[in-house]
Structures are given as structure tokens and as C-alpha cells.
């Protein structure tokens, strides 16, 4: 078999067999097939797409390109949730303890933030001492003892995706639904979970800008998961404005703590209750959405979800005094209000612009080597649909940057808020559920 023939075959719009995809992926991982040939193949896929059978084969071959986790030693049904990324998305921090407190097993491998989206690991590391590198026996013991761990991915999982994602990033080949689906699902499947819930975000702060694209991606991922014998479902959620109020690492952890204590923002809680209810049904811990939601409401009200978060932080060497007293979290030197220039109703809060501005304030990374300022970010004071008067505070910038840099960011944040004279309804959080 020759790689050039496979590239030509795909370029001509023909489907690749499982053996042909295996030849490509295994050769690529072993460095026998060079980046330039994989780039050409990726570009051919961008234009010609893939059949469902091809995507299922690609996913399975990527999944098995390195180590896969066997979680069968862990007690209970292992549930997992994956978001395709957003701004202010601290769902895992709240949802994980909620479903674990209801009896599901949460052994979640998370990632770091890059660009305008945040990462769960970075957020957790704003808790002094918190250790995300937990492997082997300690990983198993923690999950079996308390039912939850939020940890970092090991380097040996899905090497094909690691190499290919870096290549896609620099060759204009990220935006392909088959490639995104295979990339996400190969990692979820390799992580060994019993059930997968995909939160496919839709809107200007998300990968998928419109609902049709998001629906296509979600349905394809559900089909791949089911095709590979995993209970896989998806929620389409709105990412036209940031989720909740806080954007930035320590700021989001503080918001997650409030949410676990029953004081979470409405949109964040609706997403957590919807995802959590589906996950409990997937784990057969509830027979209906209503029963699941009642269980989740109970663990928020009686404090057991919050207590489990404290236990998890303790088990992962974090300083729990910060969780018990969130005022201890690091605070930026400058907290700057951004004011409304006119009166009216908030029509849009461009999530992408808020995410990029938070990153520029120090809260995120432009390159993988950048060091994050845990205290930096943006806290919204208004959401879409809110009425504002001129000079009302729209949001607060938290930063340690110098004034010159801050001045240009303020302009971008002001522009991210679109204020109109007529009434605007609040955004719907959950757009669709796909089972
Ligand atoms: N997230 C991933 O993990 N892979 C993609 O291709 C896109 C988003």
C-alpha cells in the first residue's frame, strides 16, 4: 500500500477501507508517514468528507493508537461528560460532585485551556496544592474511596490525536466535522468510561457557530459511540454568551463553590441539572429525567455535593481552607468596572470576545508555554435580556496588567456588549437533546 494512492483516492471522493485507514494512522504514529502526506490527506477529508463507516473506523484506530484505560477495577458505573468548549464553562467542577454524590462514578480526565477557552485542570490548580497528576494505584484508590477524581490526561493516551491535532492547527484542517468527531470520541473512548455525554456548545464562543453544524456533529458522535458499544448521548447548549458570570480560573472556582452551595447562576445550574439528569439515567441510577433531577436537587440542598468537592480537593492535596472560605483565593490588584454607554436591553455578550479579553488580562494562554495569572478574568454583572441604564456596570475586569494594556482591552469588552432599545428575551440554555 502507498500513502500517495490513498490521498488520491480520498481526493477523488472515494471511501477508504478500514485497512487503508489503519495503514495511514499506524504509519503516521510511527513516523513512517510524514506530516506532509498526512496534511494532504486531512485537506482531502476537509473537502470530500467521510462516510459514517470511515469515521467509526478512524475513531477506533485512533483510540487504539496508544494506551487505553481499563477502568473495570473501579466500582460503579463510570460516567463521563465532554464539552466541545466554551467561555466561563465550569460545568465539570459542579456537575462532577453532583452526579458522584448521587452514586455515579466520576473518573474524569480533563485538559488545559488554550486561546479563548478555559481548561478544567488550570481552574483546579488555582486551589493551592491541588494535584492533577494522579496515576495508577492512587487514582484507583481515590475513585473507589470517594467516587470522584478530576485529573490530567496521561501522555500515552491517543498519540494519533496529539500529533494530528497539532498538525490540523497549523494546516487549516481543524474545521471538519468527521475529524472533530473522531478526535473527541477517540479520546473519550480511550479513557475507558462506560457512558459518554457530549455537551456540544453552539454560538459565537463555540467551535460550532450554528445549530445545524452542531446537530450534525452531535449526531455523528452519538452514532460513533453507539457503534463502538458505549451509551452515548448529547446535549446542544447555547454558547452565545459566557456561561454563568465568572470567566477566569480562580474566579470560576469561586463561582463553582457558590453553585455547589446552592447559589449558582441560573444558566449554569440549568446545564448542570440537564446534563446530570441524563448522566444518572445513563448510569441506571434514575428511571426518569424528573427522578434524576430530584436526586440532584437533593444533593445540592443537603450539602452532600459540596462536601464531596471538599473531599476531592483534600484527596488531591488541595488546601481545603480555600474551599471553606473562598475569600482566601488570590485577588487581582486591579478590579475595573466597565460601564454601559447607553440605556436599553443587553442583546448579545460576544462570548468569543469576552474569552479573548480574559486571556489578554492574564487569565489564559495564547501559546502552550504561557503562564496563567490565576486571579485574572472577567466577572459579568449583566446577562443577555437584562435591562441596563447608562453608566450601569456591565462587568468587572480583574487583572494585574499595566494601564496601557488594560485600556485597549476595555474597548473590546465594551464592544462585546450589544445594547438595544427594545426588549430582549433571555437565551435558551438547552437547545436540543440527542439520544
Ligand atoms: N476538540 C478536540 O478534542 N478535537 C477537535 O478536533 C476539536 C475540538
Amino acid at each position: 500500500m502507498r500513502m500517495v494512492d490513498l490521498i488520491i483516492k480520498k481526493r477523488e471522493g472515494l471511501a477508504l477501507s478500514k485497512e487503508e485507514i489503519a495503514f495511514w494512522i499506524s504509519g503516521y504514529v510511527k513516523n513512517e508517514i510524514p506530516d506532509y502526506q498526512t496534511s494532504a490527506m486531512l485537506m482531502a477529508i476537509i473537502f470530500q468528507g467521510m462516510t459514517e463507516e470511515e469515521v467509526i473506523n478512524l475513531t477506533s484506530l485512533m483510540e487504539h493508537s496508544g494506551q487505553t484505560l481499563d477502568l473495570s477495577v473501579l466500582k460503579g458505573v463510570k460516567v463521563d461528560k465532554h464539552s466541545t468548549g466554551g467561555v466561563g464553562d465550569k460545568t465539570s467542577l459542579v456537575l462532577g460532585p453532583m452526579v458522584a454524590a448521587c452514586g455515579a462514578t466520576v473518573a474524569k480526565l480533563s485538559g488545559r485551556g488554550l486561546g479563548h477557552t478555559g481548561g478544567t485542570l488550570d481552574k483546579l490548580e488555582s486551589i493551592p496544592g491541588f494535584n492533577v497528576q494522579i496515576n495508577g494505584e492512587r487514582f484507583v484508590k481515590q475513585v473507589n474511596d470517594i467516587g470522584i477524581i478530576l485529573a490530567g490526561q496521561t501522555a500515552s493516551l491517543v498519540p494519533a490525536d496529539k500529533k494530528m491535532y497539532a498538525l490540523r492547527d497549523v494546516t487549516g484542517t481543524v474545521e471538519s466535522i468527521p475529524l472533530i468527531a473522531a478526535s473527541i470520541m477517540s479520546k473519550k473512548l480511550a479513557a475507558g468510561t462506560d457512558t459518554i455525554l457530549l455537551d456540544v456548545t453552539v454560538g459565537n464562543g463555540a467551535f460550532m457557530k450554528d445549530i445545524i453544524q452542531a446537530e450534525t456533529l452531535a449526531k455523528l458522535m452519538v452514532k460513533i459511540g453507539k457503534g463502538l458499544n458505549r451509551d452515548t448521548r448529547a446535549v446542544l447548549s447555547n454558547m452565545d454568551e459566557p456561561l454563568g458570570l465568572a470567566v477566569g480560573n480562580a474566579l470560576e472556582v469561586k463561582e463553582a463553590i457558590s453553585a455547589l452551595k446552592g447559589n449558582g447562576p441560573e444558566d449554569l445550574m440549568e446545564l448542570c441539572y440537564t446534563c446530570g439528569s441524563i448522566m444518572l439515567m445513563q448510569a441506571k441510577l434514575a428511571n426518569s429525567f424528573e427522578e434524576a433531577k430530584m436526586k440532584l436537587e437533593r444533593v445540592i440542598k443537603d450539602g452532600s455535593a459540596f462536601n464531596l468537592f471538599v473531599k476531592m480537593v483534600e484527596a488531591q492535596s488541595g488546601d481545603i481552607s480555600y474551599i471553606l472560605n473562598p475569600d482566601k483565593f488570590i485577588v487581582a490588584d486591579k478590579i475595573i468596572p466597565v460601564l454601559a454607554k447607553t440605556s436599553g436591553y443587553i442583546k448579545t455578550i460576544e462570548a468569543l470576545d469576552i474569552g479573548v479579553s480574559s486571556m489578554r488580562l492574564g487569565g489564559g494562554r495564547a501559546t502552550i508555554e504561557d503562564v496563567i495569572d490565576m486571579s485574572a478574568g472577567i466577572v459579568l454583572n449583566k446577562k443577555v435580556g437584562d435591562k441596563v441604564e447608562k453608566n450601569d456596570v456591565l462587568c468587572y475586569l480583574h487583572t494585574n496588567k499595566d494601564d496601557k494594556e488594560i485600556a485597549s482591552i476595555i474597548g473590546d469588552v465594551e464592544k462585546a456588549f450589544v445594547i438595544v432599545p427594545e426588549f430582549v428575551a433571555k437565551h435558551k440554555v438547552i437547545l436540543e437533546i440527542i439520544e
Side-chain angles (χ1 to χ4, degrees):
M1 219 179 275
R2 292 191 322 153
M3 186 61 192
V4 64
D5 297 327
L6 306 188
I7 297 169
I8 292 168
K9 188 171 176 185
K10 180 45 70 185
R11 188 194 73 195
E12 297 306 312
L14 300 171
L16 301 174
S17 69
K18 185 166 188 182
E19 290 67 35
E20 288 168 333
I21 299 173
F23 174 81
W24 167 35
I25 296 300
S26 75
Y28 181 53
V29 172
K30 286 189 257 165
N31 295 321
E32 288 164 8
I33 290 171
D35 276 356
Y36 56 80
Q37 285 191 309
T38 291
S39 304
M41 176 62 93
L42 292 168
M43 193 55 87
I45 293 171
I46 286 264
F47 286 113
Q48 295 292 3
M50 284 185 129
T51 64
E52 272 169 13
E53 191 184 342
E54 281 180 290
V55 186
I56 291 177
N57 288 334
L58 175 63
T59 307
S60 170
L61 288 159
M62 284 172 68
E63 174 197 351
H64 294 102
S65 65
Q67 194 199 356
T68 56
L69 293 188
D70 176 8
L71 300 184
S72 58
V73 286
L74 302 181
K75 292 183 228 161
V77 181
K78 277 74 71 181
V79 296
D80 200 356
K81 185 233 49 153
H82 176 83
S83 160
T84 55
V87 177
D89 187 354
K90 67 285 292 173
T91 314
S92 293
L93 302 180
V94 184
L95 181 61
M98 282 169 73
V99 295
C102 291
T105 301
V106 178
K108 184 159 172 52
L109 300 182
S110 295
R112 296 200 179 271
L114 188 62
H116 75 281
T117 60
T120 301
L121 298 186
D122 298 320
K123 292 171 198 179
L124 286 166
E125 282 178 349
S126 70
I127 305 166
F130 196 96
N131 179 9
V132 297
Q133 291 312 331
I134 297 184
N135 303 312
E137 273 174 37
R138 194 171 155 198
F139 184 102
V140 172
K141 182 170 175 355
Q142 180 175 331
V143 181
N144 280 341
D145 284 352
I146 66 171
I148 181 167
I149 194 164
L150 297 180
Q153 243 155 49
T154 54
S156 49
L157 236 49
V158 197
D161 182 65
K162 268 189 201 85
K163 247 188 117 182
M164 206 185 295
Y165 195 82
L167 191 62
R168 286 170 58 207
D169 215 13
V170 294
T171 55
T173 52
V174 169
E175 291 86 356
S176 148
I177 287 182
L179 294 177
I180 296 174
S183 163
I184 293 175
M185 290 303 291
S186 60
K187 285 177 285 201
K188 288 290 108 184
L189 292 160
T193 175
D194 296 320
T195 74
I196 301 168
L197 176 64
L198 300 155
D199 173 12
V200 179
T201 49
V202 191
N204 76 68
F207 254 110
M208 299 290 119
K209 306 293 179 208
D210 70 65
I211 184 115
I212 305 291
Q213 274 182 319
E215 213 175 47
T216 309
L217 175 65
K219 284 185 176 158
L220 181 58
M221 291 196 289
V222 167
K223 205 160 222 171
I224 295 171
K226 287 187 175 158
L228 297 169
N229 298 320
R230 228 60 78 87
D231 180 333
T232 309
R233 308 183 197 190
V235 165
L236 302 193
S237 72
N238 195 325
M239 189 40 74
D240 261 336
E241 68 177 325
L243 187 64
L245 300 172
V247 180
N249 296 281
L251 297 167
E252 290 190 43
V253 172
K254 283 205 267 187
E255 183 165 84
I257 293 168
S258 296
L260 286 164
K261 285 181 165 168
N263 303 315
E266 247 175 70
D267 57 348
L268 172 65
M269 293 321 291
E270 188 179 341
L271 184 60
C272 288
Y273 282 125
T274 303
C275 289
S277 300
I278 298 170
M279 289 164 86
L280 291 188
M281 290 194 290
Q282 287 181 296
K284 311 259 181 302
L285 291 164
N287 292 318
S288 67
F289 191 91
E290 293 67 33
E291 182 195 347
K293 188 160 181 228
M294 266 169 46
K295 287 189 171 187
L296 292 163
E297 282 168 346
R298 195 174 321 131
V299 296
I300 289 290
K301 269 204 198 94
D302 69 12
S304 47
F306 174 74
N307 290 339
L308 198 48
F309 185 73
V310 175
K311 270 194 193 166
M312 178 187 80
V313 171
E314 193 168 32
Q316 294 186 235
S317 315
D319 184 344
I320 62 165
S321 69
Y322 284 73
I323 312 302
L324 301 174
N325 175 15
D327 288 342
K328 279 185 79 174
F329 273 97
I330 184 167
V331 177
D333 285 348
K334 298 172 193 167
I335 300 178
I336 302 155
V338 176
L339 307 182
K341 291 209 160 136
T342 55
S343 301
Y345 292 86
I346 310 265
K347 181 167 188 279
T348 313
I349 307 174
E350 300 281 349
L352 178 60
D353 296 338
I354 296 290
V356 171
S357 297
S358 169
M359 177 188 83
R360 289 173 62 208
L361 290 167
R365 291 187 190 87
T367 71
I368 206 84
E369 290 84 22
D370 286 353
V371 176
I372 291 180
D373 174 355
M374 291 297 180
S375 69
I378 296 177
V379 178
L380 305 181
N381 195 43
K382 301 285 177 190
K383 296 276 286 182
V384 168
D386 284 352
K387 192 168 188 303
V388 288
E389 301 298 335
K390 188 175 173 189
N391 290 330
D392 273 357
V393 176
L394 297 173
C395 66
Y396 295 92
L397 312 185
H398 291 234
T399 190
N400 294 303
K401 297 277 180 189
D402 61 44
D403 292 346
K404 198 169 147 224
E405 223 168 321
I406 297 169
S408 81
I409 301 172
I410 291 181
D412 287 349
V413 172
E414 276 170 354
K415 271 191 250 142
F417 284 81
V418 179
I419 301 171
V420 294
E422 64 278 6
F423 172 81
V424 177
K426 289 217 165 287
H427 276 158
K428 231 172 126 184
V429 182
I430 306 296
L431 304 173
E432 196 177 330
I433 294 173
I434 295 168
E435 297 186 342

